Amino acid sequence: MNQVIIVSAPSGSGKSTLVNNLKRREGEFVFSVSYTTRSPRGDEMEGREYHFVTRESFLTMRDRDEFVEWAQVFDDFYGTHRRYFAVAAAEKKDLLLDIDVQGAQKLREKYPDAVSIFILAPSREELVKRLQHRGDVSEEVIRKRVAKAALEIEEYSRYDYVVVNDDVDTATDRLYSIVKSARIRTRDAGVQNTVQGILRTFEQR
Ligand code: ADP
Ligand code: 5GP
């Protein structure tokens, strides 16, 4: 595995939109598809955005230690399955994870070299508009999500990068730039191989 790239954002900020744009722009990473006990929303598909499971299955998986991290977000459980780490390692690709601030903190402890990115909407008003536009939640749920957003935004400085999702194309460009920069860090396995290869050319003389 090369880089572990963590993306977090308050619900409704446009993280799925940006991550989907990034996936369309380039396929050179493995995307960790989380397990969740919540129901599919809109045109979400099993195995694409999430693996949708019952609470009972989730708890069985958790007890078998299948998750690298898991958290309760609002009223549902979400977990990152270990197998995506194995797949990314086998394919020597970057692993991209879309997880909340609790999960990000747990993963940073396990993978201190992970690159973490915090995405946020440009204002409270815009966040409310986006949650309403998504059209799948009641006023009560929106109120809870906005309150949680403020708490999450206060955690921003734990992340390496911030992307303000004002204009969607500009924000996608910013996200893509971060991913590209991560790949030329000295701690990247590919970079290390390249430099070792260059060093070997010096030994041949
Ligand atoms: P999240 O995954 O963070 O919960 P979504 O990607 O589902 O958020 O986006 C929430 C809503 O906001 C969607 O209706 C989406 O089309 C819209 N949206 C996303 N990014 C932008 C943007 N930059 N400007 C305006 N609307 C946006
Ligand atoms: P949503 O239900 O809006 O798709 O996601 C709600 C929140 O759960 C988002 O902040 C999302 O990043 C987070 N989330 C999704 N998958 C995981 C996961 O596997 N672990 C953790 N900790 N959070 C997750």
Side-chain angles (χ1 to χ4, degrees), residues 39-58:
S39 308
R41 207 161 50 202
D43 62 356
E44 287 179 340
M45 260 174 56
E46 163 58 34
R48 190 178 65 188
E49 283 81 10
Y50 283 107
H51 295 287
F52 298 98
V53 294
T54 60
R55 197 165 263 251
E56 193 188 359
S57 311
F58 188 97

Side-chain angles (χ1 to χ4, degrees), residues 8-21 38 41 44 50 98 119 121-122 126-127 129-136 145 164-169 171:
S8 302
S11 182
S13 307
K15 180 182 49 179
S16 313
T17 306
L18 298 186
V19 168
N20 284 335
N21 287 350
R38 85 153 164 78
R41 207 161 50 202
E44 287 179 340
Y50 283 107
D98 165 350
I119 295 172
E126 182 60 28
L127 180 66
K129 248 193 237 164
R130 288 183 193 175
L131 285 167
Q132 286 167 340
H133 183 245
R134 212 162 61 172
D136 54 353
R145 295 198 164 183
V164 177
N165 179 16
D166 35 25
D167 170 70
V168 78
D169 291 332

Side-chain angles (χ1 to χ4, degrees), residues 133-146:
H133 183 245
R134 212 162 61 172
D136 54 353
V137 282
S138 67
E139 284 305 312
E140 168 62 9
V141 170
I142 289 183
R143 200 187 50 73
K144 273 196 198 159
R145 295 198 164 183
V146 170

Side-chain angles (χ1 to χ4, degrees), residues 58-70 80-83 110:
F58 188 97
L59 295 176
T60 304
M61 293 170 81
R62 183 198 63 179
D63 294 344
R64 284 198 206 124
D65 200 27
E66 291 184 30
F67 298 128
V68 181
E69 66 75 36
W70 65 274
T80 302
H81 202 281
R82 293 189 184 282
R83 83 167 169 279
K110 287 191 185 170

